Amino acid sequence: MDALKERVRTSRLLGQDEYLVLHGGGNTSVKIDGILWVKGSGWDLGTIEEGGFAPVRMDALLGIAQKEMISDSELVRLQKDGMTDKAAPAPSIEAVVHAIIPYKFVDHTHADAVVTVSNTPNGRELIQKIYGDKVVVVDYVMPGFILSKAIAEAVKGREWSEIEGIVLLNHGIFSFDEDGEVSYQKMLSLVKKAADYLEQNAKIDVKSEISERTKEALSGEISTLRGCDVGIEAIDTVGAKTFASLDNLEAILSGGPLTPEHVIRTKPRAVSLEEGREAECVKAYADWYNGYFEANNDGTKIILDKAPRWGVVKGKGVFVAAKDEKEAKILKDIISHTIDAMLRAVKLGGWKSLNERDIFAIEYWELEQAKLKK
Ligand SMILES: [Zn+2]
């Protein structure tokens, strides 16, 4: 019964991911020697054990699948009749669906990303655009017998070997394979496709309120300081907006980078400013950077440019100051993570990473300098 053990293992992995199922949702099965072991009702995938699976004869289930129409209570009775161990929990109402999918392992979840895309006015088209024709898309019907009919109808005339999964609109998704781990991985990669689509097309943005005038002023001041053209891009995330509104910004910003190696991209700290005072705030930053260099230089280092790579316009938003698109992308990624880390650390009492001396040692470390020059 190694297959049942494997079934328990990957069922738990699915059940412990709240982006896939919540509180007892979803179901899984494995076919072993003519028996379908399917999640028993009342069991939660995240904590299921071997005893949580109901053993039902495949011939009984495939017999039910051949019927024209039966009621839910009839389905429950027939499924129960097919059980090889009457003391086991009652099989999931989806047992027939699991039986007609001709693979050893079948996984079913209600993945947030998939149902999110599906629950939109153009849900079917979007799902088909994301998955192409490798995934069968089935219109919503009640779970149970009718769903098994709808799936059988949808796959008619198609080769199962060419089907990677089944999306049930407004409900969830199925993956399947002869191998338990592969079926689990297929679920993850199918869900990731929907999640990537949402990430690209439906980010929950909060527009920064940094004005164009401030961006222009900052671009001018920071370009001069850095000695090349620098563009200003706002970070439009909930975190960035929340961060810009914190009371104790100066204390947090002086607390250092997320991890030391970031310093070669980000400089030791951000510039903070108020709208209308761009020039003096950027100058104050350069003065601070000079002081930082003087205090830590052992006399052998040559000062780098004094231009900030990111900053906060109080109450308005967070921005990065980058010389090209590539740098802007890197800075946005690092700063988005840094801000989220800082916001959480503040809840634990404050932000305090490395001291200036250790940060300086990395920023002016010859090996780090060499990496930048590449
Ligand atoms: Zn379901």
Side-chain angles (χ1 to χ4, degrees):
M1 295 302 265
D2 284 351
L4 188 56
K5 283 200 172 67
E6 175 69 348
R7 181 65 287 178
V8 169
R9 186 183 73 84
T10 55
S11 297
R12 287 185 177 183
L13 292 176
L14 293 169
Q16 285 163 13
D17 185 341
E18 64 186 34
Y19 289 93
L20 296 179
V21 290
L22 286 167
H23 299 289
N27 43 57
T28 58
S29 68
V30 59
K31 300 176 183 79
I32 307 168
D33 299 332
I35 307 287
L36 179 86
W37 295 80
V38 64
K39 191 187 96 163
S41 61
W43 284 82
D44 189 309
L45 286 182
T47 53
I48 200 162
E49 296 163 11
E50 288 177 36
F53 286 89
V56 194
R57 291 192 337 268
M58 278 292 290
D59 59 355
L61 292 168
L62 294 176
I64 298 171
Q66 295 303 318
K67 293 188 181 294
E68 275 301 312
M69 185 62 213
I70 53 170
S71 68
D72 286 342
S73 47
E74 181 75 348
L75 174 66
V76 169
R77 192 183 63 76
L78 290 171
Q79 286 191 168
K80 191 124 199 163
D81 281 352
M83 288 175 74
T84 58
D85 175 3
K86 305 285 188 211
S92 158
I93 195 78
E94 309 284 28
V96 179
V97 175
H98 284 257
I100 64 166
I101 297 175
Y103 284 90
K104 189 173 176 105
F105 289 85
V106 177
D107 298 9
H108 167 53
T109 73
H110 304 147
D112 284 359
V114 176
V115 277
T116 301
V117 173
S118 156
N119 289 347
T120 58
N122 299 318
R124 176 180 266 277
E125 290 87 86
L126 291 181
I127 289 285
Q128 266 162 348
K129 185 172 142 191
I130 291 168
Y131 293 114
D133 55 11
K134 298 224 159 162
V135 162
V136 169
V137 184
V138 179
D139 282 324
Y140 179 81
V141 292
M142 284 279 285
F145 182 75
I146 310 174
L147 180 56
S148 71
K149 285 284 179 202
I151 290 178
E153 184 62 32
V155 299
K156 214 174 249 173
R158 294 197 52 171
E159 290 293 332
W160 275 97
S161 60
E162 285 166 13
I163 302 172
E164 288 176 357
I166 299 171
V167 169
L168 316 173
L169 293 175
N170 317 111
H171 174 166
I173 180 166
F174 279 88
S175 66
F176 30 83
D177 198 87
E178 286 307 304
D179 183 275
E181 174 67 19
V182 174
S183 184
Y184 169 67
Q185 292 297 339
K186 279 183 179 171
M187 175 64 72
L188 296 189
S189 79
L190 287 170
V191 171
K192 186 173 183 300
K193 282 185 183 165
D196 287 348
Y197 183 84
L198 289 172
E199 189 60 21
Q200 282 159 22
N201 298 282
K203 263 184 108 72
I204 305 173
D205 285 348
V206 173
K207 284 274 168 225
S208 97
E209 290 168 26
I210 302 172
S211 69
E212 288 308 310
R213 206 200 54 76
T214 291
K215 284 185 190 168
E216 269 168 43
L218 281 170
S219 170
E221 297 295 335
I222 297 175
S223 296
T224 307
L225 204 51
R226 192 158 170 186
C228 63
D229 277 349
V230 167
I232 303 297
E233 280 189 44
I235 298 182
D236 295 328
T237 64
V238 178
K241 193 71 209 301
T242 308
F243 188 77
S245 305
L246 291 177
D247 296 332
N248 50 343
L249 264 179
E250 306 294 341
I252 300 165
L253 293 177
S254 63
L258 183 56
T259 187
E261 286 197 20
H262 287 172
V263 75
I264 61 170
R265 310 272 192 197
T266 65
K267 295 278 177 190
R269 60 168 77 169
V271 58
S272 80
L273 59 128
E274 283 152 28
E275 287 210 315
R277 296 182 56 216
E278 294 82 7
E280 59 184 293
C281 291
V282 171
K283 178 171 183 315
Y285 183 89
D287 290 345
W288 165 80
Y289 190 86
N290 234 359
Y292 152 82
F293 178 79
E294 294 301 335
N296 294 288
N297 184 19
D298 61 2
T300 67
K301 305 292 192 296
I302 297 163
I303 193 165
L304 299 166
D305 76 81
K306 305 169 194 173
R309 300 299 193 263
W310 69 290
V312 184
V313 182
K314 286 176 190 163
K316 305 290 182 186
V318 176
F319 66 88
V320 299
K323 65 178 175 359
D324 54 32
E325 229 170 87
K326 188 174 170 224
E327 190 186 45
K329 164 92 172 85
I330 292 168
L331 284 171
K332 277 181 154 180
D333 287 345
I334 293 178
I335 300 309
S336 299
H337 282 261
T338 302
I339 289 167
D340 285 352
M342 286 172 161
L343 284 167
R344 287 175 195 268
V346 165
K347 300 229 178 240
L348 295 178
W351 178 259
K352 185 180 172 299
S353 78
L354 273 183
N355 62 61
E356 251 184 35
R357 173 162 293 276
D358 286 323
I359 294 168
F360 182 89
I362 296 287
E363 190 180 5
Y364 283 86
W365 187 16
E366 55 177 293
L367 298 177
E368 291 296 343
Q369 296 296 302
K371 257 194 224 172
L372 270 188
K373 279 171 195 147
K374 254 186 224 166

